[in-house]
Amino acid sequence: MLSREKNKKRETLTNQAISQPGCYLLLLRIEKNISLRVGKLGSFYLKAGYYAYAGSARKGLKGRITRYLSPAQKCFWHIDYLLRHPEVRLEGLFLFPAVFFPELDEHILIKKLLEKGSKAVIPGFGSRDCREQCPAHLVKIPRKQKISSLFPRAIILTRLSGTARSISKNKLGKKKNGDI
């Protein structure tokens, strides 16, 4: 019984936290090599593998993430084009509510990934208006790098199945620590 109450309290705190502003990482897996057209940015070739996309949600993490988990909408941000590709899988979400991580923003997340060997693959992707001069907010992750070890305190949502555009909104709010 105590464990159930503790889990309920943790779930409540998680839901409260993700309703706040903050930043996030999307962990993506591209099943096989793809060609991708990204609005005015152009057309690109991406190799199969794992990628991370960093972003911010100034009006609340839950609203931004819910958008990413919803069925296809009009492409507004660069990431929308990638998420709608049928070979792209959303493997995990790393959430950093500002209430717990006031020192973090998407620029710091990307810089940390780049320091650990990730590579910016599409110059300007998600960072066209970046005031920190990030090369991109989308990076390809080295094969053996575990994102969870770089950001151990993040709220991690995993075990998301299907294409990024077909994941149910009901998955949001379920915290599961994965080995990703």
Side-chain angles (χ1 to χ4, degrees):
M1 184 71 167
L2 183 60
S3 177
R4 195 179 312 191
E5 289 175 16
K6 192 174 184 179
N7 284 340
K8 183 72 172 164
K9 185 175 183 179
R10 182 182 307 155
E11 187 176 321
T12 300
L13 286 173
T14 299
N15 285 330
Q16 289 173 352
I18 65 174
S19 68
Q20 302 295 313
C23 56
Y24 58 89
L25 279 175
L26 303 179
L27 179 64
L28 306 166
R29 180 169 47 100
I30 297 180
E31 304 262 323
K32 59 184 181 181
N33 299 345
I34 64 170
S35 292
L36 181 71
R37 174 107 180 113
V38 183
K40 294 178 184 177
L41 195 58
S43 294
F44 302 92
Y45 175 79
L46 293 173
K47 292 184 178 180
Y50 285 91
Y51 293 78
Y53 174 79
S56 64
R58 288 175 178 77
K59 293 184 180 181
L61 288 162
K62 192 169 188 171
R64 180 62 53 91
I65 300 306
T66 299
R67 174 184 166 76
Y68 294 150
L69 299 179
S70 297
Q73 299 177 17
K74 182 179 176 189
C75 291
F76 184 75
W77 290 288
H78 292 156
I79 190 64
D80 294 337
Y81 295 91
L82 185 57
L83 288 173
R84 277 141 187 81
H85 195 286
E87 295 299 328
V88 175
R89 303 286 183 260
L90 180 56
E91 296 284 319
L93 303 168
F94 293 76
L95 307 176
F96 305 91
V99 67
F100 297 138
F101 302 94
E103 74 285 0
L104 285 182
D105 62 24
E106 67 272 25
H107 316 292
I108 293 170
L109 297 176
I110 285 297
K111 286 176 184 170
K112 188 167 187 173
L113 288 167
L114 291 170
E115 288 169 5
K116 296 296 182 180
S118 293
K119 304 283 184 216
V121 290
I122 300 177
F125 189 100
S127 64
R128 296 297 294 236
D129 60 353
C130 180
R131 63 187 181 281
E132 299 293 324
Q133 299 178 342
C134 296
H137 286 181
L138 176 73
V139 295
K140 187 164 190 327
I141 302 167
R143 180 182 284 174
K144 297 189 181 214
Q145 187 175 55
K146 290 183 182 171
I147 301 290
S148 57
S149 65
L150 294 177
F151 306 105
R153 293 178 38 231
I155 296 172
I156 304 171
L157 304 176
T158 63
R159 300 189 186 147
L160 306 171
S161 60
T163 61
R165 65 179 167 201
S166 67
I167 296 171
S168 166
K169 285 193 270 187
N170 294 331
K171 297 283 185 183
L172 190 60
K174 294 183 179 178
K175 179 180 181 284
K176 295 182 172 109
N177 288 320
D179 193 47
I180 55 178

